[in-house]
Amino acid sequence: MSQSEHSQQTDCAQVVLRLFEYVDHEAAEEDGVRIREHLDACGSCLREYERDLLLKEMVKRACSSEAAPAALRTQIMARISTITITEHLGDGRA
């Protein structure tokens, strides 16, 4: 394997690992630019990116028709917003 082939594979592996981050617009601006440039130059990674976009769209479409029951939403939000502090006392009481 030549040095450029090894470098290309390393770049592809790094890009593929971060594609979902890029697809979800969660990559830092500099990383997003680097990934976009790689996708413009690499057909294999571009196809992987397009598959990830399609998968995201299919999940969105499949999940958009059903909403969680209001009681479940309320319960989840309550748990997320609740901070529980437990103090252990030396005498065995909690």
Side-chain angles (χ1 to χ4, degrees):
M1 177 180 300
S2 73
Q3 179 67 22
S4 83
E5 287 174 329
H6 179 70
S7 176
Q8 178 70 19
Q9 284 187 342
T10 301
D11 286 344
C12 289
Q14 291 172 352
V15 167
V16 168
L17 277 175
R18 303 193 64 198
L19 275 179
F20 278 114
E21 185 180 336
Y22 180 73
V23 166
D24 291 337
H25 306 288
E26 294 176 348
E29 185 175 338
E30 182 179 314
D31 293 336
V33 169
R34 190 176 52 78
I35 291 170
R36 181 75 247 168
E37 288 173 353
H38 182 86
L39 294 176
D40 289 343
C42 180
S44 175
C45 288
L46 181 61
R47 286 188 293 279
E48 188 75 28
Y49 168 69
E50 291 170 344
R51 276 192 292 267
D52 288 353
L53 284 178
L54 179 62
L55 177 61
K56 182 177 179 175
E57 184 58 35
M58 291 171 64
V59 169
K60 181 180 176 183
R61 202 175 324 147
C63 295
S64 66
S65 62
E66 291 188 37
L72 177 60
R73 290 176 155 263
T74 301
Q75 191 175 26
I76 291 170
M77 291 308 294
R79 286 198 181 178
I80 290 172
S81 61
T82 300
I83 298 174
T84 303
I85 299 173
T86 304
E87 181 178 334
H88 294 277
L89 302 174
D91 62 359
R93 296 182 298 166

